[in-house]
Amino acid sequence: MNPNQVLGEENPFEAMHARFDLAAKKLGLDPGLYEILRQPDRELTVSIPILMDDGSISVFAGHRVQHSTARGPAKGGIRYDLNVTLDEVRALAAWMTWKCAVVNVPFGGGKGGVVCDPSKLSPGELERITRRYTANIADILGPDRDVPAPDMGTNGQVMAWIMDTYSMHARAACTSVVTGKPVGLGGSLGRIEATGRGLQICAREALEQLKMKPEQCTAAVQGAGNVGQVTATYLSRMGCKIVAISDITGAVVNEDGLQIDEICAHLQKFRTLDGYDAGDRISNADLLELPVDILVPAATENVITSRNAANIKAKLLVEGANGPVTAKADKMLDELGVFVVPDILANAGGVSVSYFEWVQDRVGMFWTEEEVQERLETMMVKAFGDVVDMARRFEVSNRIAAYMLGVDRVATITRMRGVYA
Ligand code: NAD
């Protein structure tokens, strides 16, 4: 098979539907609720004309999808990437709905994306894209409507521009319209670390189930952005030996263990792993097949498919990225006996602390980092336990159990609210 050929299984919205359908069937979901929850509530596609630094005009495409607002305002990140498609944003929005329900925060699910390559844009161009995109979707945003956050290619600065643009239109300082803001502008302590910290908590809980000791485990992390770096740091603090980490340029591997602090410092300085030489270089695909105990895909979707799932050697897969495994590959990993902590549970630390940030902004009182960590710990441990219990009770995989938990909670609220006509 041509390794560059796009597989049918790689449409993320279809991948979401495949798991949703299994969960709905197992739950015996009412056919009407099934129809409601399978599709997004609202989709908005906007055109974003920008004056470039050289005086020319470029037009970018942007999307914002609200999959569900049944449990509260839509919540979900904004991605800046050349591969953004409407189907990808739809899938990411639905995953946010189930994720918020799995950790039981009072949010629905949404997601946004702009088709652009942020690495090729100047700070001024990035700011103009962000402000025009925000202005074009402002009608559906708001602290009680839809609250964005960072995702691939966006960061605290982008969130600050979103907050400012929305506030200018609202004629009021409105910090709670977006989360992942810098601390000092209504951001929460512990938000930057939250997703990686949640992944480490899940890894710790899963290792306990598997009766494995962190100090005796090796780990490989795909992706060295926010999620990858923080996860690698916390796993290594827990005693695991990180033998490989990658970014888009490929992976660095050293079976004696990598110095994660040194790698983070290199990334801080050069923004790429290229040039880091305390290890051998291998491809991103090879990293996934390393003989490690713990594998953390923390870059992008569809990295484990029917093409390579049979070659996965890790005992524990903790999904930092959203949708890193296709539905076809799920079955193959189950057959191999891999313990999977699915994305909608594993990476939910980010949205949990986003919820804390939203609460702090609305109340106008801020918590210490210890308070944030303690609440995150409680929330993640509870969600992990709920998913594992569901998996045991219904004899399903952890992934389908997480979907069942999320879908059931959203369906219950939707039924309670009734159908407005
Ligand atoms: P980021 O932009 O900070 O980092 C992405 C990393 O992945 C970079 O190292 C980049 O070089 C690498 N990468 C990008 N495309 C790649 C490819 N095709 N192959 C290999 N590596 C590639 O993004 P992030 O915030 O760390 O998010 C990573 C993943 O985690 C995404 O799937 C995102 O949706 C998910 N996620 C992020 C958060 C969050 O709080 N940031 C929360 C939940 C889920």
Side-chain angles (χ1 to χ4, degrees):
M1 197 190 291
N2 172 359
N4 297 319
Q5 186 191 327
V6 176
L7 302 174
E9 70 196 72
E10 288 178 347
N11 177 318
F13 196 44
E14 285 175 22
M16 189 288 291
H17 274 156
R19 280 71 169 252
F20 171 77
D21 287 354
L22 283 174
K25 196 168 168 204
K26 202 80 190 168
L27 286 167
L29 190 66
D30 170 87
L33 288 171
Y34 171 84
E35 289 302 326
I36 294 174
L37 300 183
R38 209 167 185 268
Q39 300 304 331
D41 278 358
R42 178 187 278 155
E43 301 179 353
L44 182 58
T45 293
V46 294
S47 162
I48 309 165
I50 293 301
L51 198 59
M52 306 298 281
D53 289 349
D54 65 4
S56 65
I57 291 174
S58 289
V59 182
F60 298 86
H63 308 288
R64 184 74 191 170
V65 173
Q66 296 172 346
H67 172 261
S68 170
T69 51
R71 287 170 47 90
K75 185 85 195 79
I78 292 175
R79 179 173 288 196
Y80 286 180
D81 191 83
L82 275 182
N83 296 318
V84 163
T85 63
L86 186 53
D87 261 356
E88 181 191 54
V89 181
R90 285 177 176 139
L92 289 162
W95 283 326
M96 285 307 298
T97 303
W98 315 136
K99 191 182 302 182
C100 290
V102 165
V103 283
N104 222 349
V105 295
F107 285 138
K111 203 82 180 190
V114 177
V115 187
C116 68
D117 180 353
S119 70
K120 302 254 155 54
L121 296 163
S122 72
E125 290 165 342
L126 209 54
E127 177 172 353
R128 291 195 287 282
I129 288 182
T130 303
R131 288 189 181 278
R132 186 60 187 261
Y133 170 66
T134 307
N136 285 3
I137 64 168
D139 284 343
I140 64 168
L141 295 185
D144 294 309
R145 293 179 183 170
D146 185 346
V147 184
D151 192 74
M152 264 170 74
T154 59
N155 55 23
Q157 176 60 75
V158 173
M159 300 306 116
W161 291 326
I162 293 175
M163 177 269 169
D164 184 67
T165 309
Y166 183 87
S167 297
M168 290 295 118
H169 284 253
R171 295 279 184 254
C174 189
T175 49
S176 55
V177 67
V178 65
T179 60
K181 301 178 296 296
V183 173
L185 187 66
S188 176
L189 291 168
R191 172 61 184 93
I192 289 176
E193 301 83 7
T195 307
R197 174 94 177 88
L199 281 157
Q200 177 251 325
I201 295 170
C202 286
R204 187 194 68 208
E205 297 296 298
L207 288 177
E208 211 175 296
Q209 298 265 328
L210 294 167
K211 305 205 182 335
M212 289 163 69
K213 291 200 167 15
E215 317 81 60
Q216 290 163 3
C217 288
T218 55
V221 179
Q222 185 186 56
N226 171 293
V227 180
Q229 285 185 53
V230 177
T231 307
T233 302
Y234 277 100
L235 286 181
S236 92
R237 279 188 204 162
M238 188 168 81
C240 302
K241 193 203 283 179
I242 314 295
V243 295
I245 190 163
S246 71
D247 71 0
I248 198 152
T249 66
V252 54
V253 58
N254 186 336
E255 62 182 32
D256 295 329
L258 293 164
Q259 292 300 322
I260 297 304
D261 291 351
E262 204 179 281
I263 291 179
C264 292
H266 179 95
L267 284 162
Q268 181 79 21
K269 196 162 168 199
F270 300 105
R271 296 175 70 196
T272 168
L273 266 183
D274 237 4
Y276 184 78
D277 53 14
D280 297 323
R281 296 294 297 207
I282 58 168
S283 69
N284 263 292
D286 288 342
L287 174 144
L288 297 169
E289 298 180 15
L290 287 171
V292 288
D293 299 299
I294 307 170
L295 178 62
V296 182
T300 189
E301 291 101 84
N302 295 329
V303 294
I304 300 176
T305 66
S306 57
R307 232 191 304 253
N308 62 352
N311 304 331
I312 300 298
K313 295 172 193 76
K315 299 175 190 75
L316 171 60
L317 182 73
V318 192
E319 298 182 351
N322 289 303
V325 176
T326 66
K328 256 190 174 175
D330 276 351
K331 231 177 147 199
M332 297 165 74
L333 294 178
D334 285 350
E335 278 162 16
L336 287 173
V338 180
F339 189 102
V340 176
V341 187
D343 47 8
I344 58 173
L345 166 64
N347 69 33
V351 78
S352 302
V353 178
S354 271
Y355 165 59
F356 301 160
E357 180 176 332
W358 180 80
V359 169
Q360 292 170 76
D361 285 343
R362 291 172 74 107
V363 176
M365 279 252 305
F366 290 86
W367 307 346
T368 63
E369 192 160 353
E370 290 69 33
E371 280 174 285
V372 171
Q373 303 292 21
E374 261 174 46
R375 287 178 197 261
L376 177 64
E377 165 83 23
T378 307
M379 208 169 235
M380 292 303 298
V381 169
K382 170 86 171 82
F384 184 94
D386 287 350
V387 168
V388 170
D389 283 352
M390 193 85 165
R392 272 201 207 108
R393 194 146 58 89
F394 287 87
E395 296 180 344
V396 293
S397 67
N398 289 337
R399 188 183 314 283
I400 296 307
Y403 269 72
M404 288 172 70
L405 189 64
V407 170
D408 189 44
R409 284 180 177 161
V410 181
T412 303
I413 292 293
T414 305
R415 195 181 303 112
M416 232 179 247
R417 287 180 61 160
V419 179
Y420 176 72

